[in-house]
Amino acid sequence: MSGELAGVPAALSGAGWGRGGRLAARRRLADRLATGLSLGATGIVLLALGSILLTLLARGLPGLSAGTLVRVMTPPGGGGGLANAIAGSLVQTGLAAAIGTPVGLLTGIYLSEYATDGRVVAVVRFVSDMMLSAPSILVGLFVYLALVAPVGHFSGLSGAVALAMLFVPVVVRTTEDMLRLVPLTMREAAYALGAPKWRVVLQVCLRAARAGVLTGILLAVARVSGETAPLLFTSLGNMNWSLSLDAPMASLPVAIYQYAGSAYDDWVQLAWTGALLITAGVLVLNVVVRMWHRRLGAGQ
């Protein structure tokens, strides 16, 4: 018995331990290599984002003033601003969010919680994926044929509808994915207490997944707030102050597109300032929503 026990360390210290040591060394090397590649990729992304932000600050801040925020767009040399473009972007993006958020949420909830027919789910998910990857200019052309051409004029409403069509698939995908991550035990506990399905979905599943759902809505806002191509075919733009949904409406992306390629220095400066305003607006919105969500979670 003692001889057998004495022979165990000798066996373990032989070829088996040698192979195990080489395997552990390879695993450590692979782990360090993967960690280094991940850190390198993160550094590249941060460097790219930092360079973009620094460029926007360096080019956009010189043109940022009170006049830029309160004066409307004017011809070159007129000392104009971006007030009507800012207001038009807020109106169209806000209306697109008001249209797209409930549609996207309800569709995502249906796909995650209620869908039983595999064919219907496949069709809805396929259409959503197509809309998610479709070029925005095609959406603008579709809305142009559906809403602009029949009435014979551009309008802010058609621009908001085009943005809403780009808004919906992002919310659908993130809502469905976040609801599927909610543990099944939370649903079962709610059902065991006698809660109906709609209450389980609204008060348990959505509440547990609200951080991801809010992130999806913010991603959708960030995407549509900088879209230019759909608005060129729908709301077109307006040099004057107009918030009528039945008339052409100015927007920051279209103003940036028009000004950036001009030969006038004041227009090019306004284009950089407009790009800075869009970036700052999306950043502020993200920070505010994150702080609100963190405070709400702490209060519970």
Side-chain angles (χ1 to χ4, degrees), residues 1-196:
M1 184 69 179
S2 60
E4 293 178 358
L5 292 176
V8 171
L12 292 178
S13 62
W17 272 100
R19 288 193 298 269
R22 289 193 297 270
L23 180 60
R26 286 198 298 269
R27 288 176 175 174
R28 286 195 298 269
L29 179 61
D31 177 70
R32 291 172 182 173
L33 180 61
T35 303
L37 290 176
S38 299
L39 291 176
T42 303
I44 292 173
V45 172
L46 291 177
L47 182 63
L49 291 176
S51 63
I52 292 173
L53 291 176
L54 289 176
T55 301
L56 285 176
L57 289 172
R59 298 291 188 91
L61 280 179
L64 185 61
S65 64
T68 305
L69 302 178
V70 299
R71 290 196 292 264
V72 299
M73 301 162 62
T74 61
L82 297 169
N84 55 333
I86 295 172
S89 285
L90 290 176
V91 170
Q92 293 177 83
T93 303
L95 186 57
I99 297 172
T101 298
V103 174
L105 282 175
L106 292 175
T107 305
I109 291 172
Y110 169 76
L111 292 176
S112 175
E113 304 294 330
Y114 289 95
T116 56
D117 190 343
R119 290 173 298 177
V120 174
V121 174
V123 170
V124 173
R125 189 173 287 114
F126 176 73
V127 172
S128 176
D129 291 341
M130 284 190 59
M131 291 178 62
L132 186 63
S133 58
S136 58
I137 192 171
L138 296 183
V139 175
L141 286 172
F142 171 77
V143 177
Y144 172 82
L145 294 175
L147 297 181
V148 177
V151 299
H153 63 83
F154 300 94
S155 65
L157 178 61
S158 59
V161 171
L163 295 182
M165 292 183 64
L166 298 172
F167 194 100
V168 168
V170 180
V171 180
V172 170
R173 172 56 63 87
T174 53
T175 300
E176 181 186 2
D177 291 344
M178 292 302 105
L179 287 176
R180 289 186 181 276
L181 292 177
V182 177
L184 181 61
T185 52
M186 296 183 66
R187 296 179 172 87
E188 292 174 344
Y191 288 137
L193 294 174

Side-chain angles (χ1 to χ4, degrees), residues 226-229 232 236 251-262 267 270-271 275 278:
E227 287 290 347
T228 305
L232 291 174
L236 184 63
S251 61
L252 272 177
V254 174
I256 294 170
Y257 170 78
Q258 294 172 342
Y259 284 2
S262 69
W267 275 19
L270 284 175
I278 289 180

